[in-house]
Amino acid sequence: MLRQSKVRSLAEAVSLINNGDTVVVCGFNLQNKPMALVREIIRQKKKNLWLVTAGPSSIDADQLIGGGCVRKVASVSISAERFGPIGPCFRRAVQQQSIEIWECEQGIMTAALRGAIQGVPFVPTVAGLGGDFVKVNPDLKVIQDPFEGRPVVAVKTIKPDVALIHTLIADEFGNARLEGGMFFDELAVRAAKKVIVSTENVVPTAVIQHEPRLTRVFSHMTAAVVEVPYGSHPTACHGAYTFDEEACGEYIKAARSGPDGFQEYADKYISGAPTQMEYLNLFGVERLLNIRTKVRVGDI
Amino acid sequence: MSQGYTISELMACVFAREIKDGELGGCPGVRSEVPLASVRLAQRMHAPNTTCYYGAIVYNTDAPLSKFATEYDRIIGAEASVATYEWFDTLHRGDIDFFFVGGMQVDMYGNLNLVCLGDWKKPTLRGPGSAGLNTVTFARRHFIWINEHTSRVFVPKVDFISCPGYLDGPGAREGAGLRWGGPSIVVSPLAVMDFDQETKRMRLRSVHPGVTVDEVKQNTGFELIIPDSVPQTPAPSEEELRVLRTEVDPAGILRNEEPVG
C-alpha cells in the first residue's frame, strides 16, 4: 500500500473546519499570513469561530471578523502596521459589542498555547502580573506559587481545533519548513489538534529530506496540504515575496469606510474571486512580479 | 553643526546615551526604527559589547534600518534567527536589560495602555491590543517613547494597564509580584522625563531645545514633578550625527520628517 497524499483543494481543506471551532492562525502582522485560507473560510461562511492568533495579527483577523465568521477573538493585537493602527472591522465589532474578546498579551498567549502542547489544563507565567488582563479575562487567575508563595498568573489552556499556516514549501504528506521568521508558528501547530498547511510549492519529499532541520511542521500534525501560489497575498511570504503595499492599503481604506466598504471589497476580492487564480488576476502579473523576494537567506 | 536634526534623531541619541556597554536589549516588532537606531548608535559610540533582540525575529543584526521590523530581509545579516517566544522567555526570566515600548496613553506612574479608551466592556475607542506589553515590564528597565506629547496621551490614569509602570506608587510593583524593573525614562517630542525615586511619579528631566517648561506642563494631563532647574536636552553632537547619518541610517529613515534643531 502507498502512503497517502494529503494534498487537497482549497475548498476541501477548509471544509475540515467546523462552525464553532477554535482556529489558530500563524504569522505575524503582515508576514506569512494564510490569506487564501482566510478568504476561503469567508466564502464557506464558517460561523461562531473562536479566532486565536498566535502572534500579532492584521488583515487576516480583520477580514474574518468583517466576514462574520468570528464569535470570540484572542489576539495580542489586530493592526496593520503603517496602513492602520487597528483593524477597522475589529474596532467596529468591539465598539458595537458584537464580538467577545479574550483579552491577552503575548506572554499570556504563549502560555495558553503551551498548555495545549504539554497537555496540562493551565500554565503558570509571570506575564500578566501588574496588568489589567486578569480583571477582564476569567481564564486568567493570579495564584500563589505553591512552593515559594509568590504570585503567578495561571493561564487556562487554549486547545485549538485547527491551526492555519502558510509556508514556502511543503511535501504532499504535510511536512513543512519554517524558512523565514518563525514567530509563534511552532507553538500554534503543536497546540492544535490538526494543521492545515497552505504552501507556495508542494515539493518532492526528497527536498524536505535534504534539510530536515528546517522541517518544523511534521506530517503527523497535518490534516491537509494545499498548494496556493501567492497564498499569503496581500501579506508577505518569507522567502517568496514581500507584502503588497497597494493591496494592503486598499483593504484598510475599504474596511475603514464602513461595513459597506468591507462588503464591496469582499464582493470583489473574496466571493467575487472564488479561486486563487481569479484572485491573482485582479492584481495582474506585473504587481505580483514586483513584490518577489530577490535575495534569500544564505545567498550572501 | 547640530543643525537640522529631527525629533527621531534626537530621540535615538537620548536613548543611545542611556544604554550601557555590555547590556542585552530588545527592540519591538513594529515602529522600531528609533529603538534600533539608538542601539546601533550606542554600539558604535560607547557600547560595542551591547547586543540586542530585534523585531521579533532576529538577534543582533547588521540589516539596514527599516520601518518594518519583521520583514524577511531582516534575517539577512543577523547573528541568529529567533522564534519570537524565545525572547519573551528571555524577558520573563529577567535577562534583558532594556526594552523600548510605547502606547496610546501613559500616566503619571508610567503605566501604558494599548487596549481601549473608556470602559473595557464598552470602549469609546478600541486600540489594537497589548502586543507583548505586559512582558516588556520584565526587562530590568524599559524606555518609553511617545510620538505625541498632549494631555490626550499623558493622562492621570490609563484606562487599561497593558504595560505596568509603577502602578499606583511606591511598593505597588513589589505587591503585584514584579520583583524588578519599571520604566526608567520617557521621551516625547517635547521633553525627557524620568521617575522620582520616592514617589514613583513622573518628573521632568530636560526639555528639548526650543521647548519651554510651561509648554510641557500645558500639554501634560497630570502634574509633573518639576525640579527647580530644568536643563535642556543635549542636542545631538556632531559625532553622534555623523555616526547616525553615515553608519546607522544612511538611507535617512529618521530624517523623513521636519527638522527641529
Side-chain angles (χ1 to χ4, degrees), chain B:
Chain B
M1 277 308 288
S2 295
Q3 293 299 305
Y5 61 85
T6 64
I7 283 292
S8 290
E9 288 180 319
L10 177 65
M11 282 181 165
C13 292
V14 170
F15 286 127
R17 296 167 193 153
E18 295 289 311
I19 296 168
K20 300 184 192 79
D21 191 25
E23 289 192 315
L24 173 60
C27 296
V30 285
R31 231 166 51 86
S32 48
E33 59 274 18
V34 167
L36 182 65
S38 70
V39 175
R40 293 263 173 84
L41 180 61
Q43 286 170 330
R44 280 159 180 78
M45 299 288 293
H46 61 273
N49 300 296
T50 287
T51 59
C52 189
Y53 285 92
Y54 167 55
I57 60 175
V58 291
Y59 171 68
N60 242 21
T61 173
D62 288 337
L65 216 57
S66 163
K67 281 188 185 295
F68 295 97
T70 50
E71 277 277 273
Y72 175 73
D73 65 3
R74 308 286 85 198
I75 303 171
I76 297 167
E79 292 175 14
S81 170
V82 178
T84 320
Y85 50 85
E86 292 177 305
W87 59 258
F88 275 76
D89 294 340
T90 312
L91 273 161
H92 287 153
R93 49 179 268 164
D95 284 353
I96 294 199
D97 296 299
F98 63 88
F99 207 102
F100 298 83
V101 64
M104 55 187 204
Q105 284 183 324
V106 59
D107 69 19
M108 62 195 294
Y109 294 111
N111 304 302
L112 288 161
N113 171 19
L114 258 180
V115 167
C116 61
L117 302 186
D119 178 30
W120 180 80
K121 280 193 185 126
K122 296 178 201 163
T124 52
L125 188 81
R126 172 70 200 194
S130 296
L133 257 63
N134 207 136
T135 287
V136 168
T137 204
F138 291 95
R140 292 287 157 174
R141 68 191 189 287
H142 57 267
F143 305 149
I144 297 175
W145 96 106
I146 300 281
N147 283 338
E148 178 190 324
H149 197 137
T150 62
S151 49
R152 211 171 62 112
V153 176
F154 285 74
V155 296
K157 193 174 186 314
V158 293
D159 292 334
F160 186 100
I161 298 179
S162 294
C163 180
Y166 295 103
L167 297 171
D168 56 6
R173 278 183 72 88
E174 295 76 5
L178 303 168
R179 287 183 288 147
W180 60 78
S184 62
I185 60 166
V186 182
V187 183
S188 80
L190 300 182
V192 179
M193 277 76 50
D194 59 10
F195 293 86
D196 175 53
Q197 286 294 330
E198 223 159 273
T199 61
K200 301 293 180 191
R201 277 177 48 202
M202 200 185 289
R203 174 174 67 188
L204 187 58
R205 189 170 97 176
S206 65
V207 288
H208 296 342
V211 177
T212 65
V213 171
D214 271 350
E215 216 176 315
V216 177
K217 280 161 89 172
Q218 279 162 20
N219 286 288
T220 305
F222 53 86
E223 197 190 335
L224 274 171
I225 296 178
I226 312 275
D228 293 340
S229 91
V230 179
Q232 202 178 70
T233 311
S237 71
E238 213 170 306
E239 179 65 359
E240 283 172 327
L241 275 188
R242 187 192 66 75
V243 173
L244 260 186
R245 292 175 177 181
T246 61
E247 297 177 29
V248 172
D249 181 28
I253 288 175
L254 302 183
R255 291 200 296 284
N256 195 17
E257 54 191 80
E258 282 294 302
V260 291

Side-chain angles (χ1 to χ4, degrees), chain A residues 24-225:
Chain A
V24 61
V25 180
C26 293
F28 192 110
N29 278 346
L30 295 172
Q31 315 295 326
N32 293 356
K33 287 296 182 178
M35 292 306 300
L37 293 172
V38 163
R39 287 188 291 272
E40 183 60 22
I41 290 171
I42 297 168
R43 279 184 215 110
Q44 291 192 15
K45 299 188 166 58
K46 299 291 180 193
K47 294 284 173 225
N48 296 321
L49 301 178
W50 181 8
L51 173 65
V52 179
T53 72
S57 62
S58 59
I59 58 183
D60 52 333
D62 203 61
Q63 288 190 359
L64 287 168
I65 293 166
C69 306
V70 181
R71 169 183 63 88
K72 177 176 172 182
V73 62
S75 183
V76 302
S77 69
I78 301 180
S79 69
E81 296 191 2
R82 77 172 146 129
F83 302 106
I86 182 168
C89 295
F90 171 59
R91 171 169 280 173
R92 270 196 297 277
V94 178
Q95 292 177 192
Q96 292 165 4
Q97 298 168 64
S98 62
I99 196 170
E100 201 181 320
I101 298 189
W102 197 88
E103 195 69 60
C104 66
E105 64 84 67
Q106 196 65 65
I108 293 169
M109 174 59 71
T110 301
L113 294 173
R114 279 179 172 153
I117 295 169
Q118 296 164 17
V120 293
F122 69 90
V123 166
T125 175
V126 291
L129 290 177
D132 280 343
F133 307 92
V134 294
K135 293 181 187 164
V136 299
N137 183 338
D139 287 348
L140 310 175
K141 302 248 185 266
V142 177
I143 60 169
Q144 276 200 340
D145 163 1
F147 304 102
E148 295 186 15
R150 294 196 186 104
V152 290
V153 176
V155 180
K156 190 176 175 185
T157 295
I158 293 178
K159 284 187 264 187
D161 297 295
V162 189
L164 308 178
I165 188 167
H166 185 76
T167 69
L168 191 56
I169 65 168
D171 73 3
E172 61 175 316
F173 306 116
N175 295 301
R177 283 182 178 173
L178 295 186
E179 290 196 69
M182 294 180 275
F183 306 123
F184 298 89
D185 293 359
E186 284 192 65
L187 298 182
V189 299
R190 277 159 184 73
K193 290 175 197 153
K194 60 185 176 220
V195 181
I196 298 176
V197 176
S198 70
T199 186
E200 293 293 313
N201 292 293
V202 174
V203 298
T205 300
V207 175
I208 295 287
Q209 289 168 321
H210 180 69
E211 191 48 284
R213 287 175 297 181
L214 293 176
T215 310
R216 299 312 305 152
V217 183
F218 307 161
S219 65
H220 75 85
M221 303 168 185
T222 303
V225 180

